[in-house]
C-alpha cells in the first residue's frame, strides 16, 4: 500500500518560488514513474511533471518547462518539485502521484487506473 504525503505549499507573489515535497512510504518507489499533478477549481487534473524512479528521466508539461524541476532524493523516499518564476495561472492544488505513466514520445505524464494519490497541497500565486 502506497502512502504519499505532500508539504511545502503556500501563498507567494508572482515571480516567487516554492518547493513541494512528497514523502513516500509503502511500495511507492516500486512505481516506474512518479510525479506531480495539479487541479485548479473547475478544471481537470493535469500532469505537471514526472520522473522515472530508476533512471531519473524527467518529463514536464509545456506550461512549466524551464520553470519547474522535479527530483528525488538518493534514498528515494522523497519526491520534490522546485517551482520558480511562479505565475498566477500556477495556482492550484498540487498532488503527488505514484504509478503514473510517463510517455517517452510526448514527454508528458498522465494518470491511470493504478495511480495512487496524496491528499494535495495548495499553491496560491498572486
Amino acid at each position: 500500500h502506497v502512502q504519499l504525503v505532500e508539504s511545502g505549499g503556500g501563498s507567494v507573489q508572482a515571480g516567487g518560488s516554492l518547493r513541494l515535497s512528497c514523502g513516500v512510504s509503502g511500495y511507492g518507489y516500486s512505481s516506474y514513474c512518479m510525479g506531480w499533478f495539479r487541479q485548479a477549481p473547475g478544471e481537470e487534473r493535469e500532469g505537471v511533471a514526472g520522473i522515472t524512479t530508476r533512471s531519473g528521466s524527467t518529463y514536464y508539461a509545456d506550461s512549466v518547462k524551464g520553470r519547474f524541476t522535479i527530483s528525488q532524493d538518493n534514498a528515494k523516499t522523497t519526491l520534490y518539485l522546485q517551482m520558480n518564476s511562479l505565475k498566477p495561472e500556477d495556482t492550484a492544488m498540487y498532488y503527488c502521484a505514484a504509478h503514473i505513466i510517463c510517455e517517452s514520445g510526448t514527454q508528458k505524464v498522465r494518470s491511470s487506473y493504478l495511480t495512487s494519490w496524496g491528499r494535495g497541497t495548495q499553491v496560491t500565486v498572486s
Side-chain angles (χ1 to χ4, degrees):
H1 179 66
V2 176
Q3 291 184 323
L4 306 168
V5 180
E6 303 96 336
S7 61
S11 296
V12 65
Q13 291 188 337
S17 298
L18 284 173
R19 188 173 84 154
L20 306 184
S21 299
C22 174
V24 182
S25 60
Y27 293 98
Y29 267 105
S30 67
S31 171
Y32 174 72
C33 191
M34 297 190 64
W36 293 90
F37 288 68
R38 68 185 181 187
Q39 188 169 19
E43 297 188 12
E44 293 187 355
R45 193 170 296 188
E46 63 169 345
V48 174
I51 185 168
T52 55
T53 55
R54 294 183 181 178
S55 68
S57 297
T58 56
Y59 303 75
Y60 297 97
D62 289 340
S63 58
V64 306
K65 202 171 292 183
R67 300 188 298 121
F68 290 12
T69 303
I70 188 170
S71 62
Q72 57 189 355
D73 69 338
N74 289 336
K76 298 183 180 180
T77 58
T78 308
L79 188 69
Y80 301 101
L81 186 67
Q82 177 68 44
M83 305 186 295
N84 298 328
S85 302
L86 283 161
K87 304 175 181 179
E89 51 263 43
D90 294 318
T91 295
M93 185 71 79
Y94 283 71
Y95 298 91
C96 179
H99 304 294
I100 65 172
I101 297 171
C102 291
E103 298 181 330
S104 58
T106 63
Q107 293 293 298
K108 300 296 190 293
V109 300
R110 59 185 177 88
S111 61
S112 78
Y113 70 96
L114 294 173
T115 297
S116 297
W117 301 96
R119 291 189 174 185
T121 185
Q122 178 68 37
V123 171
T124 302
V125 185
S126 60

